[in-house]
Amino acid sequence: MLGTTERFPRRLIAERRIRFVRVGRHVRIPESALAAFVEANTVRPLQRRGRRCGRAA
């Protein structure tokens, strides 16, 4: 879902930067936790009101 290597989610879990569930020896990351992580780390483009043309000499 993230389109990364296996190492990245493991690091997120080790650093406790994402919510996860332990099921025996396995670790599961709920889809809602992935969606929240992506939303929280999404950078939105700036909304520019006007554009300046030319420079003052």
Side-chain angles (χ1 to χ4, degrees):
M1 186 173 180
L2 292 175
T4 64
T5 63
E6 206 176 284
R7 188 175 176 185
F8 181 67
R10 287 176 189 256
R11 192 177 83 209
L12 292 177
I13 291 166
E15 295 173 358
R16 305 220 182 243
R17 292 175 48 200
I18 195 165
R19 185 169 43 96
F20 63 94
V21 178
R22 287 196 190 273
V23 182
R25 292 180 24 198
H26 303 281
V27 175
R28 299 290 181 245
I29 301 173
E31 268 190 59
S32 59
L34 286 175
F37 178 80
V38 169
E39 182 63 31
N41 291 289
T42 299
V43 178
R44 308 257 186 252
L46 294 175
Q47 297 283 334
R48 295 191 180 195
R49 293 184 182 174
R51 188 174 177 156
R52 294 184 191 182
C53 296
R55 293 183 175 181

